[in-house]
Each structure stands twice: as C-alpha cells, then as structure tokens.
C-alpha cells in the first residue's frame, strides 16, 4: 500500500503484503511485555470515548449517555469544532445544574477538536488525541462511539462481558473502497487471506 491508501486491487495483494510486512519488520520497536493482568475480574472500569459532530444527533447522544452512565466509568466527548461547541454537548447531557450552575458529574469531560473528514489521517489523529487524553484516567477498556451509536446490550451485560475478557482487544476496521465500477478488496479481507 502507498501512504494514504486504504484499499488495494486484488491482483496487487501479494506484493502489497510482502512490501508492508518487510517495512513493519524493519521499523517496529522492541516489544516489551505488558504487566500481567488477571484474565477476569469482578468489575471493570470502562472509558467511553464519544465523537460528536451533528447537532440534531444530540438527543440520541443524551439517550445513549443516560443508558450507559455509571459513576465508576469515564466519559470523554469530543465535539467537532466546525459544527459544535463543547457547551452544546454539555447542555445536551445535562451536566450542569440549571438552578445552581454546579457541575453534576465529575467523570465526564468534553473538549473541542479540529474538524476531520472520514477516511483521512486527520480523522485518525483526532481519535489518537482523544485516546491520549484518556490516558490521564484509570480504566480497563475503551469503547469508542459516535453520535449515532446506541448500546444494544445493557450496561451490566457490557460490564460483565468485558470483565471476563481482561486480556482481549476488540478492534474492527471498515475501510471505504469505492473507485468507479471497479471492485477493490477491503483490508479486512486481506488479513483473512494472509493467514
């Protein structure tokens, strides 16, 4: 793959995998073993990282917040500065007592980020910046959501399921592959074919 490429042509799979494998093997730093973590725990702390950029989605953001909120978890909301002010998200979540002006929930932070279109490096940087901010907190798992996401499972089910998966990572990437009428092969299929 060339820098910035998300998808490749099927006939180029073998060459691209070899080139990228060689590059990765040359450039990765030495791996240090992470401290041992028990495979399960009676409880976990979840950091919810939520990206928000559409004003009309704020009622859904509030519904998801009301469903997920626990004072043992951490919530970080990223407001796309082209479309929202952090105060709009704060108000939608009901984080300030209107009578006293006092902050109601101390485990929720909201910050403005630069606008970044999907499927470009600036979007990745926005996510990495948010994850970096979460490093200030103590948590076991990060759940990355957008303003359109709503949890299908109950918070207790999510917590119990993650508590039994302490040494696991759950990552799913969905590349966007559209070039005229020609079909490209998504990277997730490449990973399946490479094994």
């Amino acid at each position: 793959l060339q820098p910035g490429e998300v998808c490749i042509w099927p006939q180029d799979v073998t060459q691209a995998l070899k080139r990228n494998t060689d590059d990765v093997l040359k450039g990765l730093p030495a791996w240090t073993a992470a401290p041992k973590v028990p495979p399960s725990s009676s409880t976990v702390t979840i950091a919810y990282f939520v990206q928000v950029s559409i004003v009309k989605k704020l009622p859904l953001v509030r519904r998801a917040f009301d469903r997920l909120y626990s004072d043992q978890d951490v919530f970080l909301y990223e407001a796309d500065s082209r479309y929202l002010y952090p105060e709009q998200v704060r108000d939608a979540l009901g984080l300030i007592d209107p009578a006293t002006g006092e902050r109601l929930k101390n485990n929720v932070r909201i910050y403005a980020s630069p606008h970044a279109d999907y499927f470009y490096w600036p979007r990745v940087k926005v996510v990495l910046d948010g994850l970096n901010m979460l490093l200030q907190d103590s948590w076991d798992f990060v759940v990355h959501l957008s303003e359109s996401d709503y949890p299908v499972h109950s918070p207790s089910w999510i917590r119990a399921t993650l508590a039994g998966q302490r040494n696991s990572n759950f990552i799913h990437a969905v590349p966007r592959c559209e070039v005229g009428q020609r079909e490209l092969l998504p990277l997730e299929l490449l990973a399946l074919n490479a094994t």
Side-chain angles (χ1 to χ4, degrees), residues 57-75:
K57 296 280 186 162
L58 287 175
L60 177 59
V61 171
R62 173 64 186 258
R63 265 184 71 208
F65 176 73
D66 288 344
R67 179 158 168 90
L68 292 172
Y69 183 78
S70 165
D71 58 3
Q72 77 182 69
D73 293 326
V74 175
F75 294 81

Side-chain angles (χ1 to χ4, degrees), residues 173-193:
V174 182
R176 185 169 116 177
C177 303
E178 298 174 18
V179 176
Q181 300 294 352
R182 300 172 73 185
E183 186 176 324
L184 292 172
L185 188 60
L187 288 177
E188 62 189 8
L189 293 179
L190 294 179
L192 295 174
N193 293 334

Side-chain angles (χ1 to χ4, degrees), residues 84-162:
L84 286 170
Y85 293 108
E87 295 78 15
Q88 289 173 283
V89 177
R90 181 198 66 203
D91 293 346
L93 296 177
L95 298 178
I96 302 294
D97 183 330
T100 65
E102 289 182 25
R103 186 183 176 113
L104 298 174
K105 300 184 184 335
N106 292 322
N107 59 335
V108 181
R109 294 193 316 263
I110 304 165
Y111 74 100
S113 72
H115 174 74
D117 289 324
Y118 287 100
F119 306 108
Y120 296 99
W121 171 252
R123 186 67 169 192
V124 174
K125 175 131 178 35
V126 165
V127 172
L128 293 176
D129 289 345
L131 294 172
N132 191 45
M133 289 180 75
L134 284 172
L135 292 176
Q136 300 170 21
D137 302 298
S138 179
W139 42 264
D140 299 293
F141 290 93
V142 173
V143 176
H144 180 209
L145 303 169
S146 77
E147 72 263 336
S148 298
D149 292 323
Y150 187 80
V152 175
H153 293 289
S154 69
S156 60
W157 183 94
I158 295 168
R159 188 174 310 286
T161 300
L162 292 175

